[in-house]
Amino acid sequence: KALQGIPVALFFGFTHCPDICPTTLWNLSNYLNTLSQEGFALAGFFITVDPLRDTPEVLNGHLANFDGTITGITGPTDEIEKFLKNWRVYKKIVPLEDKDYTIDHTASVYLIDAKGILRETLKYQESHEESLLKLRRFLAANR
């Protein structure tokens, strides 16, 4: 219900991610800025797949490295797990040395329309031009 009323871009990831998450967040913040300059409104959300480490303070600090257009979402592990299941987000914890871990996860950005329906995805290695074209089409259909 919280996603209804405005079009949104959802990205699922974690702050300890070495490459996919920061790259995607950087690209998404650039897309949001470009689209805003063109008169489009799109809310961006980064939903953690690692609520044990990604506290609100950690998320806020991490997202401060970008331009502030993306809102971080975390919460109790059981609630995050339900959310991930409902959106069919793949998540697998991969153990590392010294009791550390990383997480394999869905790397696409979900584009959700104002009615809360998934309409499109941006794939991780999609070109900047293709992603912006998809975003413009998605937003034009949601005006």
Side-chain angles (χ1 to χ4, degrees):
K1 290 181 183 178
L3 300 177
Q4 293 180 350
I6 57 169
V8 299
L10 299 180
F11 177 63
F12 299 89
F14 63 113
T15 61
H16 289 75
C17 182
D19 51 15
I20 291 173
C21 296
T23 300
T24 301
L25 288 170
W26 177 258
N27 289 338
L28 183 56
S29 65
N30 286 330
Y31 300 149
L32 294 175
N33 281 325
T34 298
L35 294 165
S36 175
Q37 292 171 13
E38 295 174 3
F40 290 108
L42 178 67
F45 293 95
F46 177 65
I47 298 101
T48 186
V49 297
D50 190 10
L52 293 177
R53 294 188 291 194
D54 290 345
T55 64
E57 297 77 23
V58 170
L59 273 177
N60 287 337
H62 184 70
L63 292 172
N65 294 315
F66 303 94
D67 65 3
T69 59
I70 300 170
T71 302
I73 297 177
T74 189
T77 301
D78 61 330
E79 291 297 316
I80 294 293
E81 292 300 325
K82 275 196 273 185
F83 195 74
L84 299 177
K85 184 179 178 183
N86 287 340
W87 285 100
R88 295 188 171 114
V89 174
Y90 170 76
K91 172 189 170 184
K92 180 181 177 186
I93 295 176
V94 179
L96 300 173
E97 294 179 13
D98 300 325
K99 298 183 182 179
D100 197 8
Y101 61 92
T102 190
I103 301 175
D104 290 343
H105 61 88
T106 300
S108 297
V109 175
Y110 291 29
L111 302 180
I112 313 298
D113 72 12
K115 295 178 183 174
I117 299 170
L118 173 65
R119 295 293 180 188
E120 181 70 83
T121 60
L122 303 179
K123 294 171 181 51
Y124 173 62
Q125 294 190 335
E126 200 163 68
S127 74
H128 183 81
E129 294 78 17
E130 180 64 24
S131 292
L132 275 173
L133 179 64
K134 280 184 176 182
L135 284 161
R136 288 179 183 118
R137 274 194 316 244
F138 167 72
L139 291 167
N142 276 281
R143 283 197 165 181

